[in-house]
Amino acid sequence: MRHRKSPKSRKNPQNRNPFRVKYYLGQDFGQLLQVRLKISPKYRKYSQKYRNVKCASYLGQDYGQLLQECRRSGALFRDPAFPPAAASLGFRELGPGSAKTRGVEWRRPTELCPRPQFIVDGATRTDICQGALGDCWLLAAIASLTLNEALLHRVVPHGQSFQQGYAGIFHFQIWQFGEWLDVVVDDFLPTKDGKLLFVHSAEGSEFWSALLEKAYAKVNGCYEALSGGSTSEGFEDFTGGVTEWFDLRRPPADLYQIILKALERGSLLGCSIDITSAFDMEAVTFKKLVKGHAYSVTGARQIPYRGQALELIRMRNPWGEVEWTGAWSDGSAEWHAVEPALRQQLMVRMEDGEFWMSFRDFLREFTRLEICNLTPDALQSRKFRKWNTRLYDGTWRRGSTAGGCRNYPATFWINPQFKIQLDEVDDARDEDGGREPGCSFLLALMQKHRRRERRYGKDMETIGFAVYEVPPEYVGRSGVHLKREFFLANASRARSEQFINLREVSTRFRLPPGEYIVVPSTFEPNKEGDFVLRVFSEKKAGTEEMDDKIQATLPDEKVLRESEIDENFKQLFKQLAGPDLEISVTELQTILNRIIAKHKDLRTKGFSLESCRSMVNLMDKDGNGKLGLVEFNVLWNRIRNYLSIFRKFDLDKSGSISAYELRLALEAAGYRLNKRLHELLITRYAEPDLALDFDSFVCCLVRLETMFRFFQAMDVDQDGVVTFDLLQWLQLTMFA
């Protein structure tokens, strides 16, 4: 299993509709007061197109309501959720009191220039100049966004201005983990010496890009959280699309055609040069390319050159001032051999920081290309088709669902599992080259909220996934979580190209019709996190999360009458219970701890008073808070059975069982529980080292068995549903 670190990361530390949109912080664009601005018909068309798309207000902040309140009161908006304060800047290098934040002042654009503008003559790449923040990856994505007006105005809604209706409030729409959020910000921006500290326009009077950067910082917790990353993050958060990666050391033969098609269809493209050490970060090569730096691909053109067709590609450096100086750079000798009219056509739209280079040099100089597909099949199909898309939320939790990759066979099987049913093969295409019929689909695994958690010392986990063919005996079945034996005996049919510490890993596959299991995981076990798995299929495909159905196969528990109980046990009970012939909570604690002390092979801290109280409450049928002979006999037999199971699954003879062994032990005891219940049991009963002592194991099984039996007794029609009155509910919850 390959484990690869991302250069950028090395430096810096239920199923739902994936196109459902929320308003970030509750700011509803639909309620926005209409500000009549002079805008182009195309701008108005895009605005109208997106105005009716449902979008969630982030943190409950409704843009329309806030705007009206500000206008009514005459006060400019000040955002309490992301205030102009030190905490909004960062936590370490940009943290309160740090050297980089000394002298920083938050100012509104109206304080920085006499006539600030939101957007002037449309958004262009020169509106995006990098400041003192290492977010070139984000700026490369924003720069690419300006090449597609429809996408831009999905993210940057129209009707915003520093003149008509100005109230110090702006909003942007950002995609996050399957839903669109409407994000409100005030227009306080961090400045130093009277200039914007972070992103700014070349002219200095246009502020849409600085405010968009602020909205993105708000979603991710602070500005510093944006330092270092992959352009694909920005691509996806501005489009809801999915990114594919190309290793330029091993490019596909038709990569240039792929790039041309991507540009024609408005896909966003970014590239970078991998670094080999921390010293390489932002090092400038001999020909003025910056290592570890995100570039945008802004164009491609095949031109006649000295009797041959030459492939050129146009790049942009968000820094602006550092440009390629090799062949086909500005003013290079190669341009003299190009017909003047064509030369003028290619050079007329060049911006500062933008340059041409040959495609051959591009492959030689750069190492990675990212293409964010607005429709993932657009690059490989000749007619436009939409993919069928499903999205699932999932979690990795220590001891229950965080099993690590295939290198850890003892725990890999506990990871979440998802089934894909591929029935329809792809349409015939010329480029298939006689291959066997297959079903194309794309998997994208994205970890959630990792930037927001950087201030707590967390960063991107190393993630990936594997794909397995469903065994014949499980085809067509739901509610089945494949176990360890299956993965030990079967190799994967496909997998992500590598495990890497990026926010998302995605891979395109083409497999024969059938059913497949996708197992997303972190590289190492016990790494916690939340994730989103997106499945894009060319044809309709069935998908579902695989999880065991909750059920219990309990042995017939014969409750003996007193006359049927063994005389030796009766004598033992009399000795233990005392004159009242009832065992109280404290007496039960004494009894169990005396017994367990004789078993030197068991790890235990002893049964606590609370554990014993729980057992008495669960077993006490007559409600007197004590156990009689019959009740104690039932508990005694259960504990003997639990001890047998405990020893069987204490595989390393440590006197305890691990959280992973617990799952197997529960199945041996007759229980099938879903992943949510396993998470709860581990949280409730496991020690910090994820092991369960014998006393915790007993308490866990006593509670499980009692609750199942209680439910089964009340489920008289066996439909899986019971109805409680208030007294029954209180009895169950207060004394269980």
Side-chain angles (χ1 to χ4, degrees):
M1 180 64 61
R2 289 186 295 163
H3 174 186
R4 178 171 180 180
K5 284 285 185 179
S6 160
K8 305 248 184 344
S9 297
R10 201 181 279 135
K11 183 191 177 194
N12 303 286
Q14 5 196 315
N15 181 12
R16 65 175 186 266
N17 181 349
F19 302 111
R20 183 169 62 86
V21 180
K22 286 186 180 178
Y23 279 98
Y24 187 58
L25 304 181
Q27 297 160 309
D28 185 355
F29 177 58
Q31 297 180 12
L32 170 64
L33 295 178
Q34 298 303 310
V35 181
R36 296 184 178 274
L37 296 178
K38 188 175 181 180
I39 56 177
S40 70
K42 184 182 290 187
Y43 193 108
R44 190 180 301 278
K45 178 187 72 172
Y46 292 133
S47 174
Q48 183 63 41
K49 175 182 177 182
Y50 294 120
R51 185 174 300 160
N52 297 322
V53 175
K54 185 62 179 173
C55 199
S57 302
Y58 182 61
L59 300 182
Q61 294 174 300
D62 185 287
Y63 174 65
Q65 292 179 1
L66 293 171
L67 180 62
Q68 292 182 46
E69 289 173 7
C70 291
R71 289 178 176 173
R72 194 161 41 242
S73 67
L76 296 179
F77 178 64
R78 185 184 180 96
D79 187 2
F82 197 65
S88 298
L89 289 175
F91 48 89
R92 192 177 299 117
E93 293 184 7
L94 293 177
S98 63
K100 292 185 178 180
T101 60
R102 291 193 192 114
V104 171
E105 296 180 342
W106 294 81
R107 295 187 181 180
R108 298 186 189 268
T110 51
E111 302 175 78
L112 297 174
C113 62
R115 291 188 57 80
Q117 301 291 325
F118 186 68
I119 292 181
V120 178
D121 297 328
T124 64
R125 287 153 279 167
T126 55
D127 299 342
I128 308 141
C129 300
Q130 189 172 1
L133 187 63
D135 62 348
C136 60
W137 60 275
L138 175 63
L139 306 191
I142 298 175
S144 295
L145 195 64
T146 65
L147 302 176
N148 188 314
E149 195 170 3
L151 294 177
L152 175 69
H153 298 305
R154 175 69 176 89
V155 176
V156 186
H158 91 284
Q160 306 191 79
S161 168
F162 286 98
Q163 284 75 43
Q164 299 182 33
Y166 170 68
I169 183 171
F170 294 85
H171 72 132
F172 302 87
Q173 296 186 355
I174 298 172
W175 184 90
Q176 287 281 281
F177 314 119
E179 56 193 10
W180 283 93
L181 307 176
D182 196 75
V183 186
V184 166
V185 292
D186 61 32
D187 62 346
F188 280 105
L189 295 169
T191 67
K192 208 168 190 178
D193 301 324
K195 297 181 179 179
L196 290 180
L197 186 60
F198 302 132
V199 71
H200 54 277
S201 66
E203 296 80 6
S205 60
E206 203 167 350
F207 291 92
W208 72 269
S209 58
L211 291 168
L212 174 56
E213 181 189 44
K214 181 174 184 178
Y216 202 74
K218 179 177 179 178
V219 168
N220 287 282
C222 63
Y223 278 95
E224 188 173 354
L226 307 185
S227 182
S230 166
T231 306
S232 61
E233 279 191 65
F235 283 169
E236 294 185 343
D237 289 347
F238 297 142
T239 67
V242 63
T243 302
E244 292 185 271
W245 295 66
F246 294 89
D247 182 352
L248 299 182
R249 295 290 180 258
R250 297 187 302 248
D254 60 344
L255 181 60
Y256 192 74
Q257 295 304 313
I258 288 174
I259 291 173
L260 285 174
K261 287 184 178 181
L263 289 167
E264 288 169 1
R265 291 182 170 93
S267 300
L268 306 184
L269 293 83
C271 58
S272 60
I273 304 171
D274 284 352
I275 61 173
T276 55
S277 70
F279 298 105
D280 271 354
M281 192 64 187
E282 297 184 352
V284 180
T285 68
F286 176 70
K287 294 183 179 179
K288 303 298 183 183
L289 295 176
V290 185
K291 293 184 177 181
H293 190 60
Y295 287 77
S296 304
V297 177
T298 61
R301 183 74 177 266
Q302 194 173 60
I303 66 170
Y305 178 68
R306 294 180 177 174
Q308 294 183 335
L310 179 71
E311 296 170 337
L312 295 180
I313 190 165
R314 190 174 67 193
M315 319 286 296
R316 185 173 191 275
N317 175 5
W319 279 1
E321 66 272 12
V322 181
E323 291 185 16
W324 162 254
T325 58
W328 298 100
S329 61
D330 294 358
S332 69
E334 287 79 9
W335 289 108
H336 299 313
V338 178
E339 195 271 328
L342 177 59
R343 181 172 69 240
Q344 181 66 20
Q345 180 187 13
L346 294 177
M347 301 297 289
V348 70
R349 297 187 63 188
M350 297 292 285
E351 313 280 7
D352 184 33
E354 206 163 26
F355 55 86
W356 289 97
M357 65 192 309
S358 72
F359 186 61
R360 180 181 300 178
D361 282 341
F362 170 75
L363 294 178
R364 180 166 49 242
E365 298 290 341
F366 288 88
T367 52
R368 185 184 302 273
L369 173 68
E370 306 164 46
I371 301 180
C372 181
N373 304 295
L374 308 185
T375 50
D377 65 334
L379 298 180
Q380 296 187 12
S381 66
R382 295 191 176 182
K383 73 176 183 179
F384 191 76
R385 294 188 299 271
K386 289 185 178 180
W387 287 64
N388 296 283
T389 309
R390 300 296 290 273
L391 181 147
Y392 295 90
D393 283 317
T395 60
W396 294 301
R397 294 292 179 265
R398 295 178 69 241
S400 56
T401 53
C405 72
R406 295 173 302 126
N407 292 2
Y408 302 89
T411 58
F412 176 68
W413 65 279
I414 72 168
N415 285 301
Q417 299 175 17
F418 302 86
K419 184 170 76 171
I420 304 174
Q421 183 175 337
L422 303 173
D423 293 326
E424 301 180 49
V425 298
D426 299 346
D427 294 335
R429 291 178 294 185
D430 294 341
E431 57 266 38
D432 279 351
R435 290 187 297 170
E436 290 294 321
C439 307
S440 292
F441 65 102
L442 188 148
L443 294 176
L445 174 65
M446 178 184 295
Q447 50 189 320
K448 299 169 68 173
H449 310 304
R450 304 307 295 190
R451 288 190 179 275
R452 291 188 66 87
E453 295 175 349
R454 279 186 177 180
R455 63 170 65 245
Y456 309 115
K458 299 180 181 179
D459 211 328
M460 299 292 181
E461 294 292 351
T462 303
I463 61 171
F465 52 81
V467 181
Y468 292 81
E469 190 167 2
V470 174
E473 62 269 27
Y474 291 117
V475 169
R477 292 177 56 185
S478 298
V480 176
H481 186 96
L482 297 178
K483 301 303 186 288
R484 179 170 60 183
E485 291 70 23
F486 169 80
F487 295 104
L488 290 174
N490 294 273
S492 62
R493 283 297 305 269
R495 60 181 183 271
S496 54
E497 293 184 4
Q498 57 195 2
F499 275 69
I500 191 167
N501 59 335
L502 292 175
R503 186 179 71 163
E504 184 174 62
V505 173
S506 65
T507 307
R508 186 188 296 259
F509 300 104
R510 192 170 185 271
L511 293 175
E515 293 186 3
Y516 299 89
I517 293 292
V518 181
V519 185
S521 72
T522 56
F523 185 78
E524 296 177 340
N526 295 325
K527 300 294 184 180
E528 294 198 334
D530 300 326
F531 66 84
V532 163
L533 179 70
R534 291 189 286 169
V535 183
F536 299 82
S537 55
E538 182 167 306
K539 296 289 186 178
K540 288 185 178 180
T543 60
E544 65 177 297
E545 183 172 3
M546 302 297 283
D547 204 357
D548 285 328
K549 292 181 179 178
I550 302 172
Q551 61 185 41
T553 305
L554 302 177
D556 291 336
E557 186 175 58
K558 186 176 182 181
V559 180
L560 302 176
R561 294 191 296 270
E562 287 193 22
S563 60
E564 297 175 317
I565 296 176
D566 180 77
E567 288 298 325
N568 290 329
F569 187 84
K570 288 181 180 179
Q571 292 301 318
L572 174 63
F573 178 77
K574 289 179 181 179
Q575 295 174 16
L576 298 173
D580 63 350
L581 295 181
E582 296 275 357
I583 293 179
S584 67
V585 172
T586 54
E587 288 171 333
L588 179 63
Q589 182 186 30
T590 301
I591 293 167
L592 293 180
N593 285 336
R594 283 180 181 175
I595 294 172
I596 203 172
K598 297 178 181 179
H599 295 273
K600 303 298 184 183
D601 61 325
L602 300 179
R603 190 179 98 173
T604 177
K605 298 185 296 296
F607 287 89
S608 68
L609 194 64
E610 184 61 32
S611 297
C612 293
R613 179 175 289 109
S614 178
M615 280 188 269
V616 169
N617 290 336
L618 290 169
M619 303 300 300
D620 179 20
K621 302 298 183 184
D622 55 14
N624 68 347
K626 296 183 179 181
L627 300 182
L629 173 62
V630 172
E631 295 164 334
F632 183 69
N633 180 254
V634 173
L635 177 61
W636 183 265
N637 289 330
R638 286 190 187 181
I639 292 176
R640 288 175 59 191
N641 181 45
Y642 300 155
L643 177 59
S644 174
I645 295 173
F646 185 86
R647 283 190 164 136
K648 179 180 178 181
F649 288 94
D650 178 14
L651 301 179
D652 58 1
K653 307 304 177 186
S654 64
S656 63
I657 61 173
S658 72
Y660 313 110
E661 293 166 342
L662 172 66
R663 194 161 184 166
L664 299 172
L666 290 175
E667 290 192 13
Y671 300 98
R672 285 189 176 272
L673 308 178
N674 64 15
K675 64 178 185 180
R676 179 60 183 146
L677 286 175
H678 282 295
E679 290 176 5
L680 291 173
L681 292 180
I682 296 305
T683 301
R684 176 76 181 269
Y685 294 105
E687 300 295 324
D689 63 356
L690 296 180
L692 277 82
D693 297 346
F694 178 66
D695 51 297
S696 296
F697 181 74
V698 168
C699 292
C700 176
L701 265 72
V702 166
R703 181 175 292 271
L704 269 179
E705 184 168 345
T706 303
M707 300 305 286
F708 266 102
R709 290 191 186 278
F710 182 89
F711 186 90
Q712 290 171 354
M714 295 197 66
D715 186 15
V716 291
D717 54 2
Q718 297 185 348
D719 65 348
V721 178
V722 297
T723 303
F724 298 95
D725 61 29
L726 180 59
L727 177 60
Q728 289 171 321
W729 173 252
L730 291 174
Q731 286 175 327
L732 176 65
T733 56
M734 293 295 292
F735 301 106

